[in-house]
Amino acid sequence: MTESTPAIRPNPRPDFASVDFARSPFTVAWEITRACGLACIHCRAEAQPRRDPGELTTEEAFGVIDQIVDVGGPILIVTGGDPLMRDDCFDIIERAASRGLRVAFSPSATGRCTKKALERARDAGVSRVHISLDGPDAASHDAFRGVKGSFQRTLDILRWLQEAGVSLQVGTTVSRHSVARLPEIAALIAAYGPVMWSVFFLVPTGRGQLRDMVSAEEHEQAFNWLYDTAKTSPFDIRTTAAMHYRRVVIERRRAEAAAGAAGRPQGGPAAFANVSGAGYSFQGEMGMSMKGVNDGDGFAFIDHVGNVCPSGFLPLPAGNLREQGFAEIYRDSQLFRDLRDRSLLKGRCAACEYTPVCGGSRARAYALTGDYLESDPSCVYQPRGGQAAC
């Protein structure tokens, strides 16, 4: 740590309900490099084996951290490519943690991700480490990641994190290669004590192909399976690029509460309790509030050369940090303003009563239609229109 770096102070998770998405994102993901030793078939970054000479420098990276702090201190995800391809990776983490940011770290399962490296990340101030597992065995995972031996290395990393006492999040990509094997993957990761299973539903961008994306009906089936699994799993479950899972959670909870209320004496508790999760909240009462993070609306992505995009899966630059400030881009760019105005949505998403808490994946809508305001093609729900019924 340099003499000019402020002393480390507590970095609590931002309060979701109090964050004004028009002023500050809840989460920022930062691709500090696009270099990576893997060749994953779904990679949105189309990662390359060597670092781009145009990457933000260490000095520029420290400036970016200061700007993220100034915009409200969102959760920061340090990712790539493989962030461990940068020699200053731990300096960046330490700087962010010392400024009070809650830092998550998402390295790739390569030879650089050693037990020592993970301990350095922990000591630098990382709050949670995200590791990807995309199959329950070597054949499936290694084929997806494009490197033989990556499955065993991933298991080694999971064990090292468990031994180091680091908060672990496991990520799995749902595609035609893995959707039928989700129960096996869930059973496997449980042994390593993760606090979260982050289930990403493939968006056909970068190396990701439309033929590998599951159908809308398969999305719905997977959502209901995840909901049932979450009731008894030892870890929390959240989805990425699948905002409509929130609608399934709300509907299932409503149905369960109503069924329970039917057997209670008159005057008992309300039939529907409030629902909240990773990046969304729903209050099922009169005067209810519904709110959910979406691409560009509570979420922002910074790429390796300083472009600011709504998400890594919606790679449309709204500005560059070498030319504009982060706050200016997030708050004032037309792209981000459009994405935060859900009245601009089209098709079924425009008519849907769950729009405030869901809004559909803007990244998937753009990838499949070329219009980031169009309906999410992966949703089966036929909206009733108007406000969601209680």
Side-chain angles (χ1 to χ4, degrees):
M1 183 182 295
T2 64
E3 293 181 1
S4 61
T5 303
I8 294 177
R9 62 176 187 266
N11 47 4
R13 184 182 182 89
D15 177 40
F16 179 78
S18 67
V19 178
D20 178 1
F21 292 168
R23 304 292 297 169
S24 177
F26 183 68
T27 303
V28 174
W30 183 7
E31 169 197 83
I32 63 173
T33 183
R34 193 160 284 184
C36 182
L38 299 180
C40 308
I41 63 174
H42 74 304
C43 181
R44 55 104 199 133
E46 298 183 274
Q48 54 210 31
R50 293 181 179 82
R51 291 179 57 187
D52 187 328
E55 286 176 3
L56 297 174
T57 66
T58 303
E59 183 178 1
E60 288 175 321
F62 285 180
V64 170
I65 290 166
D66 293 342
Q67 291 188 54
I68 293 172
V69 171
D70 290 343
V71 83
I75 296 168
L76 176 63
I77 304 170
V78 176
T79 184
D82 180 8
L84 287 170
M85 293 289 280
R86 282 190 66 138
D87 295 335
D88 60 357
C89 175
F90 302 111
D91 297 326
I92 291 172
I93 292 171
E94 186 175 34
R95 174 74 174 203
S98 74
R99 292 301 319 274
L101 294 177
R102 187 171 188 268
V103 184
F105 183 48
S106 182
S108 298
T110 69
R112 289 178 176 264
C113 194
T114 62
K115 185 175 182 180
K116 182 178 179 180
L118 294 168
E119 290 171 345
R120 284 191 67 187
R122 177 199 62 194
D123 295 344
V126 160
S127 299
R128 181 173 295 179
V129 174
H130 174 106
I131 299 295
S132 295
L133 184 70
D134 295 296
D137 52 40
S140 57
H141 178 87
D142 289 359
F144 193 82
R145 291 284 160 180
V147 174
K148 188 175 181 179
S150 63
F151 176 75
Q152 185 56 54
R153 175 162 290 278
T154 297
L155 297 187
D156 290 341
I157 292 168
L158 295 178
R159 175 170 51 83
W160 294 335
L161 288 167
Q162 192 175 32
E163 293 170 352
V166 178
S167 177
L168 169 64
Q169 175 175 305
V170 177
T172 297
T173 300
V174 178
S175 70
R176 66 177 179 85
H177 305 281
S178 62
V179 66
R181 308 198 71 181
L182 292 178
E184 297 171 79
I185 296 172
L188 175 60
I189 66 175
Y192 296 93
V195 296
M196 177 77 73
W197 187 24
S198 181
V199 187
F200 164 68
F201 285 75
L202 187 143
V203 175
T205 188
R207 292 196 197 114
Q209 299 295 310
L210 178 59
R211 64 175 179 269
D212 290 329
M213 192 179 86
V214 298
S215 68
E217 291 74 19
E218 288 171 312
H219 275 79
E220 194 77 0
Q221 292 165 9
F223 293 160
N224 279 282
W225 179 83
L226 288 170
Y227 179 81
D228 290 331
T229 300
K231 293 179 180 180
T232 58
S233 70
F235 42 77
D236 292 332
I237 296 176
R238 77 173 183 194
T239 59
T240 300
M243 293 72 179
H244 37 327
Y245 175 62
R246 303 165 189 171
R247 184 255 310 159
V248 170
V249 171
I250 292 166
E251 289 183 326
R252 291 287 303 273
R253 294 238 187 131
R254 177 186 288 122
E256 290 167 359
R264 288 197 291 266
Q266 191 172 11
F272 179 58
N274 297 345
V275 177
S276 64
Y280 69 98
S281 63
F282 178 97
Q283 182 180 335
E285 300 172 353
M286 294 302 293
M288 66 187 176
S289 62
M290 300 170 67
K291 181 179 181 181
V293 169
N294 208 318
D295 302 322
D297 189 5
F299 190 93
F301 174 84
I302 303 170
D303 77 8
H304 61 300
V305 295
N307 291 315
V308 179
C309 305
S311 79
F313 307 101
L314 183 52
L316 297 177
N320 187 281
L321 294 175
R322 286 175 167 144
E323 301 168 357
Q324 296 174 271
F326 180 79
E328 178 187 358
I329 296 170
Y330 179 82
R331 294 170 179 169
D332 300 330
S333 69
Q334 192 61 54
L335 174 58
F336 275 82
R337 289 170 67 91
D338 284 352
L339 290 166
R340 288 196 295 270
D341 185 354
R342 300 196 185 183
S343 70
L344 299 178
L345 295 179
K346 303 174 182 178
R348 285 185 295 129
C349 284
C352 186
E353 61 271 27
Y354 292 103
T355 289
V357 76
C358 172
S361 169
R362 301 298 93 220
R364 188 174 291 104
Y366 180 76
L368 271 65
T369 72
D371 185 345
Y372 54 76
L373 296 174
E374 266 296 348
S375 293
D376 183 345
S378 67
C379 182
V380 301
Y381 184 67
Q382 295 299 324
R384 296 188 298 270
Q387 296 296 314
C390 297

